[in-house]
Amino acid sequence: MTLTTLGLPAIRRDDDEPPAEMPRSGPLVDTFGRVATDLRVSLTDRCNLRCTYCMPAEGLDWLPGDELLTRDELVRLLTLAVTRLGITSVRFTGGEPLLYRELEDVVSAVAALRPRPEIALTTNGLGLARRAQALADAGLNRVNVSLDTVDAEHFAAITRRDRLTDVLDGLSAAAAAGLGPVKVNAVLDHDSGLDDAVELLEYCLRHGYQLRIIEQMPLDASHLWRRDANLGADEIFAALAAHFDLTPDPAPRGSAPAQLWRVNGGPATVGIIASVSHAFCSACDRTRLTADGQIRNCLFSAEESDLCVLLRRGADDDALESAWRAAMWRKAAGHGINNPDFVQPQRPMSAIGG
Ligand code: SAM
Ligand code: SF4
């Protein structure tokens, strides 16, 4: 069996001298004045599905266990993010975050922080039916469940696993546990995607879920993404508009990545996230922490800041805070996917956290 190597970043920083002009307190800002308040935390790079646009059929060579943050290291960094860096929203993701055994425990540790952040989860939904209530009890506020089609055959072809029913059960358990508004994240297949989108929207309208369709991005581990093979936001909108009456949602968009459309007069909406065709980097409010303790200031960043090494060298909270601030200070203006010199990051989406 050949495993695709998990790419490590070209530049990994662990000995930063913070830039003199960087603020040492207050919000987590970059040189363009953007403020990061939304933390994406990847709990594991492992997964129990094999979505074609994310990882190869045989999986990846997972991050070594001794390089992963321990539960205590993770909670220390989350505490620092909320109490010193102004993080108001924490989203757990992966890999598949439900594979992380201490998820409920970490959720309840974050829920105990003050000011209490909003806590969300992005999951493929496998096993959610069993755990939704315990997660809600621990303090989880909302879930996004990834589901690209409600056609069982298409689901098996896209994820390489025959598990559609488990995902649908997970969705209804999340709604029953009050983890709403329950959102469905869909990445469309180039062949069946436009039909899948129409069926998905009908399904979500029937069940009261909010559908968000995301353009495929060049973040697959096998580096097979091709711009001309992918469905763009305009094409997706046209396919939906042929079946539904779509009008722009009047609510202000703020830093939300999805452009929202009211469906058949509302109040239901559908969102299209045009990460590639209409990038929204100028409103980005994200910072990212990987399972092995790297700060990434962008999904597409070529460099990372190694908080795991700093922690294990005995760094105090001031040093960790300063390294996190310096990482965000260096954030680029945009992801550059549409620039002629764009280079796909070596670390794939499953090891960054989407
Ligand atoms: N396993 C969980 C899941 O699928 O929800 C969490 C991790 S997954 C990497 C997070 C989100 O990233 C999912 O909604 C997934 O569809 C999306 N995703 C994965 N690869 C992508 C790609 N190449 N382009 C756009 N979105 C992608
Ligand atoms: Fe797993 Fe999520 Fe990647 Fe699918 S998108 S393979 S569920 S990490």
Side-chain angles (χ1 to χ4, degrees):
M1 180 165 74
T2 313
L3 287 178
T4 304
T5 306
L6 191 62
L8 291 175
I11 309 166
R12 182 171 278 190
R13 294 172 186 262
D14 61 19
D15 55 355
D16 253 359
E17 255 316 301
E21 63 284 12
M22 179 191 89
R24 305 304 164 110
S25 61
L28 190 51
V29 287
D30 64 33
T31 55
F32 299 94
R34 291 169 297 191
V35 176
T37 53
D38 181 358
L39 170 60
R40 303 286 159 123
V41 183
S42 175
L43 292 173
T44 174
D45 59 320
R46 291 173 186 256
C47 192
N48 39 16
L49 293 183
R50 295 287 182 273
C51 303
T52 47
Y53 50 80
C54 184
M55 61 170 80
E58 66 276 15
L60 295 165
D61 54 349
W62 313 119
L63 291 165
D66 61 353
E67 290 181 17
L68 302 179
L69 293 174
T70 64
R71 181 261 178 217
D72 290 351
E73 289 170 338
L74 174 62
V75 171
R76 180 168 168 207
L77 293 179
L78 294 175
T79 304
L80 192 139
V82 171
T83 59
R84 290 181 169 225
L85 297 174
I87 293 301
T88 56
S89 162
V90 176
R91 176 175 292 276
F92 294 108
T93 177
E96 177 41 48
L98 290 176
L99 295 179
Y100 184 78
R101 287 209 186 86
E102 292 162 305
L103 178 59
E104 287 80 354
D105 172 61
V106 171
V107 167
S108 83
V110 173
L113 297 174
R114 294 294 175 271
R116 187 207 195 277
E118 171 91 353
I119 309 172
L121 178 72
T122 298
T123 170
N124 65 25
L126 299 189
L128 183 60
R130 265 195 330 278
R131 289 170 73 184
Q133 190 57 57
L135 285 164
D137 294 344
L140 185 69
N141 298 111
R142 292 187 292 108
V143 287
N144 286 39
V145 176
S146 300
L147 175 64
D148 307 331
T149 174
V150 285
D151 177 294
E153 263 180 45
H154 293 175
F155 182 93
I158 294 169
T159 66
R160 304 188 177 103
R161 300 285 185 275
D162 185 11
R163 304 290 300 272
L164 174 64
T165 312
D166 303 70
V167 181
L168 301 182
D169 290 349
L171 274 165
S172 34
L179 294 171
V182 173
K183 294 189 183 167
V184 169
N185 287 1
V187 172
L188 299 180
D189 180 75
H190 358 96
D191 297 326
S192 63
L194 295 179
D195 295 333
D196 289 337
V198 173
E199 287 181 18
L200 259 175
L201 183 51
E202 279 163 356
Y203 185 86
C204 289
L205 292 175
R206 259 198 321 278
H207 290 85
Y209 309 144
Q210 295 185 6
L211 178 62
R212 301 283 179 268
I213 300 176
I214 309 166
E215 284 181 347
Q216 263 191 49
M217 294 180 276
L219 287 170
D220 57 310
S222 310
H223 292 225
L224 295 175
W225 182 90
R226 293 287 170 272
R227 182 183 306 277
D228 50 6
N230 285 313
L231 297 172
D234 296 344
E235 222 175 326
I236 297 166
F237 176 82
L240 293 177
H243 294 264
F244 305 91
D245 174 32
L246 301 181
T247 48
D249 185 66
R253 183 167 167 185
S255 58
Q259 171 155 23
L260 291 187
W261 302 90
R262 285 220 166 155
V263 186
N264 300 337
T269 58
V270 61
I272 303 180
I273 302 183
S275 332
V276 178
S277 63
H278 304 285
F280 37 83
C281 302
S282 62
C284 184
D285 63 353
R286 309 230 168 120
T287 180
R288 296 172 187 276
L289 175 63
T290 66
D292 55 341
Q294 309 300 313
I295 296 299
R296 295 182 64 88
N297 57 28
C298 175
L299 276 174
F300 293 91
S301 166
E303 64 172 59
E304 302 181 339
S305 292
D306 195 340
L307 295 195
C308 185
V309 157
L310 289 179
L311 272 168
R312 292 181 186 177
R313 279 186 199 150
D316 63 13
D317 282 356
D318 287 345
L320 293 168
E321 175 182 349
S322 171
W324 200 324
R325 286 186 183 282
M328 293 309 293
W329 187 249
R330 286 191 295 268
K331 183 173 171 120
H335 57 42
I337 298 176
N338 300 315
N339 299 346
D341 58 351
F342 171 73
V343 179
Q344 177 169 343
Q346 285 162 291
R347 192 187 274 261
M349 181 70 126
S350 57
I352 298 172

